[in-house]
Amino acid sequence: MGDVLAGIHATWEFESDALVIRFERGNRNTPKLFSALRERRVPHEALASVTLTPGKRGTVVLHAVPRPGADPLMEAAAGQLKEACDPYRLVLPADRETLAEYYRDELRALLPRDAVHPGDPGDPGDAGDGGDGGDGGGGDVERDAVVVTPTDGFLVAAPTGPQSFKTYDGRASFDGTSEIAFRWSWTGASSEKWKAGDQTFSVRELSGVEWRSPEILDGYLRLVPRDGAPRPAQPDRDPASVVFGLGLGPVHESLPFAAAVLAAIRGKDRAPVAVPAGAARRDPGVVAERIRHLGDLHRAGLVTDEEFSAKKAELLAEL
């Protein structure tokens, strides 16, 4: 389509295969999360529905609802974003409602066949236009007669590059690809964290990320180890977590961080385990760990029997 629709705090550009959302910067009234995100490219297959509803104070709201599993940012948010911070909402003056209806219909026509079109036969009504940005679960999401199938992997890119932010009990940093580090502060970290020392985690050691908004009491970011070992019940005592508080770990810093880590974890899960040609002999413990991870991928159905056998043989040849 190539057209552009400018709203309050954001602009939607309609490309032939994607919706490109560009956020306003430099305006103090723009949510900080939008300024941090800058731009998002959302393929049509990543969307479940598009709705148009009345807004507040003489506005209307176009809302593109992502499919479950399509966007690492919304998966990490898990319904905790305030409505005004939902990056998939475009607020427009009410006098542009007719134009908004046109673009809603144009975009709907490009969505996957199982996308939800509120008002269509068999649809229960407004599907998910409440500000939480979509469902987060793993199975099909059923709304009466309409079933929205979760995507097979993320379709919207997570924020890229190294990231870092300060928390109540330390500082969290991510190199953007493979390693997360927690460095404890002298004043905020619990005795349990001090005893454990500063922590470094490989993305391959993790199965997920838990993010509880700093705008909610006792907010935190917690890494979920792949080994499933017992963890302290309280995040402030868990060396695999950082806790927010007193304005630290704000949404616009900690949520993109969580999304980037989550996307890296899912990316490692789906990537084949490769061994560089001519690699030097490895430590047996390292090889054993890589074989264990390869076995996890095989059991999860992410590598075939043939790939598993071939990669295992390559790893054993490194000993």
Side-chain angles (χ1 to χ4, degrees):
M1 291 157 42
D3 294 344
V4 173
L5 182 62
I8 300 172
H9 304 318
T11 297
W12 284 13
E13 181 174 347
F14 302 88
E15 295 186 351
S16 60
D17 60 345
L19 170 66
V20 179
I21 305 173
R22 295 188 174 92
F23 301 102
E24 183 181 36
R25 303 182 66 201
N27 185 332
R28 65 180 183 179
N29 295 320
T30 300
K32 291 183 178 179
L33 177 61
F34 292 1
S35 297
L37 293 174
R38 299 190 180 186
E39 177 179 310
R40 314 214 77 211
R41 190 176 192 280
V42 186
H44 296 148
E45 60 265 30
L47 294 175
S49 67
V50 184
T51 64
L52 178 64
T53 57
K56 300 176 182 177
R57 296 185 291 276
T59 62
V60 293
V61 179
L62 264 176
H63 188 197
V65 182
R67 302 169 77 92
D71 185 349
L73 187 86
M74 305 310 287
E75 291 294 297
Q80 298 175 74
L81 282 179
K82 293 181 178 179
E83 186 176 78
C85 291
D86 183 344
Y88 286 88
R89 297 174 78 251
L90 183 69
V91 182
L92 300 154
D95 60 7
R96 307 192 75 190
E97 181 174 4
T98 300
L99 185 61
E101 288 178 346
Y102 167 78
Y103 283 110
R104 176 201 61 190
D105 294 343
E106 288 288 298
L107 188 53
R108 280 182 178 178
L110 299 172
L111 299 188
R113 294 184 63 183
D114 66 336
V116 180
H117 293 178
D120 288 351
D123 185 80
D126 185 0
D129 196 24
D132 64 1
D135 307 274
D140 285 353
V141 179
E142 185 171 356
R143 298 184 180 94
D144 292 348
V146 179
V147 176
V148 181
T149 306
T151 59
D152 181 20
F154 293 134
L155 299 177
V156 182
T160 59
Q163 300 184 51
S164 177
F165 68 96
K166 188 176 181 181
T167 73
Y168 175 74
D169 56 1
R171 177 171 288 277
S173 60
F174 177 44
D175 65 4
T177 56
S178 60
E179 193 170 274
I180 304 98
F182 294 160
R183 302 290 179 255
W184 309 125
S185 70
W186 287 97
T187 55
S190 65
S191 59
E192 289 85 355
K193 291 184 177 180
W194 271 113
K195 290 176 182 177
D198 291 343
Q199 299 290 300
T200 301
F201 303 88
S202 168
V203 164
R204 288 195 178 275
E205 300 171 350
L206 305 173
S207 63
V209 179
E210 298 173 2
W211 181 80
R212 183 176 175 87
S213 174
E215 297 178 341
I216 301 173
L217 184 64
D218 298 328
Y220 59 83
L221 183 144
R222 198 172 197 178
L223 305 177
V224 182
R226 188 177 297 279
D227 60 15
R231 296 184 295 165
Q234 297 175 307
D236 65 336
R237 297 180 180 178
D238 182 1
S241 70
V242 288
V243 298
F244 309 142
L246 304 177
L248 300 174
V251 170
H252 71 281
E253 293 180 347
S254 61
L255 180 56
F257 184 104
V261 173
L262 182 60
I265 291 171
R266 300 279 180 88
K268 295 292 185 184
D269 283 346
R270 298 175 63 81
V273 179
V275 178
R281 291 188 178 274
R282 305 279 185 174
D283 179 82
V286 173
V287 173
E289 174 59 21
R290 295 187 68 182
I291 291 176
R292 183 196 66 77
H293 178 64
L294 179 64
D296 291 342
L297 297 179
H298 181 241
R299 285 188 289 274
L302 298 174
V303 297
T304 65
D305 293 342
E306 292 77 11
E307 289 172 332
F308 173 76
S309 299
K311 294 300 180 183
K312 182 178 179 182
E314 290 177 10
L315 289 169
L316 289 174
E318 294 182 37
L319 293 175

